[in-house]
Amino acid sequence: MRFHWGWIEPVMPVPYVPTLGPARWGDPLHELLEAVVDSAGTGRFLPHDKDRRWAETKTERVLVDAIEHDQAQTFVPTLAERGRGVVKVHVYGAAPDSLSAGADLARKLAPAHGAAKARIVWFLGADQPDASAQGTRVQLKDLTAGPGDAPGVPIQEYKELPEDAGFQAFATAMAEDGFAFLYGQMQAGTVGPVLAVLHDGLVAGAIGPMETMNDAQGYARLLPQYFGVLPQHRGRGYGRALWRAAMRWGHQHGAAYQLLQTEVGGASDRLCRAEGLTSLGFVNQADV
């Protein structure tokens, strides 16, 4: 499968590649699209796929035979095989019926591939109002300009914490934010450093793992982290301190940038906007 970039570029308001996620404007998006198609069904990760740190095989693939590609719009369906399965149709198109046509394709493909859910994914440019979004904002942090502002409160690596700091209890309380899974990976020694903030000697918030990976052009990027503060300790500036400490870590370890997806209007979204990150647009999703 080969894409006509002149057809896709005008209807791609966000630099986003199915199965890989957000990228930067200026990245080789055309080549990345074709690479995820070429690797579909092999179970192999591309060298710059951020998900390869969590698994040995790729569990989401492009459904190559179901791609629809013309001058008006492009539909790129994927199958995520985790759980009961999800078919997602990524809609690149601005025609009045693009979303409804993408939804029809998703509903058709889901039962054919034994997937329990059918979903459409569509995109809005950064100039669109937040009220139009039904998902996440893609944000870019440039780490080349310097280490950024100091955290303001003490931040420690997990391995430096006292034994009675209660990270396990924190991870259990924040299981819905992924920290129970992360704690298991930490115990297995398979992830990079995790940063934490204490309140009265106990873990109140954390961010991690702190890891970098080269992108398709060879630039080091700071990978997304699990990030959270216990509800009873929010509003004290701990989240901002953790985030700033993470950005400093990335700068000090040679990362050029970080790409984040934040829930529109959520705490992380508000923090990143306040910290001056660049919005690249919105990724919207809906089950159909």
Side-chain angles (χ1 to χ4, degrees), residues 77-78 119 123 142 146 168 170 181 198 215 229 244 257 268 274:
T78 65
R119 186 173 299 164
F123 311 94
D142 182 357
Q168 184 174 7
F170 165 81
F181 167 77
L198 302 184
D215 65 15
V229 175
R244 288 180 174 178
Y257 67 95
S268 294

Side-chain angles (χ1 to χ4, degrees), residues 15 19 30 32 38 50 56 91 97 99 123 126 138 143 145 149 172 178 184 194 224 243 261 275:
T19 79
H30 188 190
L32 291 174
D38 290 342
K50 65 184 185 302
E56 294 183 357
V91 177
D97 65 342
L99 292 183
F123 311 94
V138 178
L143 296 171
D149 293 331
T172 300
V194 174
W243 189 85
Q261 284 185 257
E275 290 291 313

Side-chain angles (χ1 to χ4, degrees), residues 34-236:
E34 295 194 347
V36 297
V37 169
D38 290 342
S39 64
T42 66
R44 296 193 301 268
F45 287 101
L46 296 174
H48 42 76
D49 189 333
K50 65 184 185 302
D51 293 335
R52 67 183 176 89
R53 58 181 172 159
W54 302 122
E56 294 183 357
T57 58
K58 183 77 172 175
T59 58
E60 184 178 17
R61 58 186 173 90
V62 174
L63 297 174
V64 180
D65 292 342
I67 292 174
E68 297 185 10
H69 180 48
D70 60 35
Q71 288 181 295
Q73 58 196 16
T74 295
F75 298 153
V76 183
T78 65
L79 173 64
E81 297 172 322
R82 296 180 299 274
R84 298 176 61 196
V86 180
V87 164
K88 294 185 285 187
V89 173
H90 299 74
V91 177
Y92 300 96
D97 65 342
S98 289
L99 292 183
S100 60
D104 289 343
L105 180 59
R107 284 190 288 264
K108 172 185 174 182
L109 291 174
H113 290 274
K117 291 185 177 181
R119 186 173 299 164
I120 55 171
V121 183
W122 72 101
F123 311 94
L124 295 173
D127 58 341
Q128 297 297 311
D130 289 10
S132 302
Q134 300 179 32
T136 61
R137 190 194 317 265
V138 178
Q139 307 207 51
L140 171 68
K141 171 62 176 179
D142 182 357
L143 296 171
T144 62
D149 293 331
V153 299
I155 303 295
Q156 298 175 255
E157 285 194 20
Y158 166 74
K159 65 181 181 181
E160 300 171 347
L161 296 177
E163 291 186 5
D164 59 354
F167 195 98
Q168 184 174 7
F170 165 81
T172 300
M174 298 289 286
E176 291 188 2
D177 295 274
F179 279 98
F181 167 77
L182 175 60
Y183 185 68
Q185 300 294 308
M186 293 161 62
Q187 294 300 102
T190 59
V191 294
V194 174
L195 308 181
V197 61
L198 302 184
H199 182 90
D200 291 339
L202 297 176
V203 174
I207 188 169
M210 305 307 303
E211 298 173 339
T212 65
M213 179 185 293
N214 284 355
D215 65 15
Q217 298 188 93
Y219 294 103
R221 56 178 171 159
L222 181 62
L223 295 177
Q225 308 93 4
Y226 293 97
F227 177 31
V229 175
L230 289 170
Q232 64 268 32
H233 295 307
R234 293 170 188 168
R236 303 177 188 269

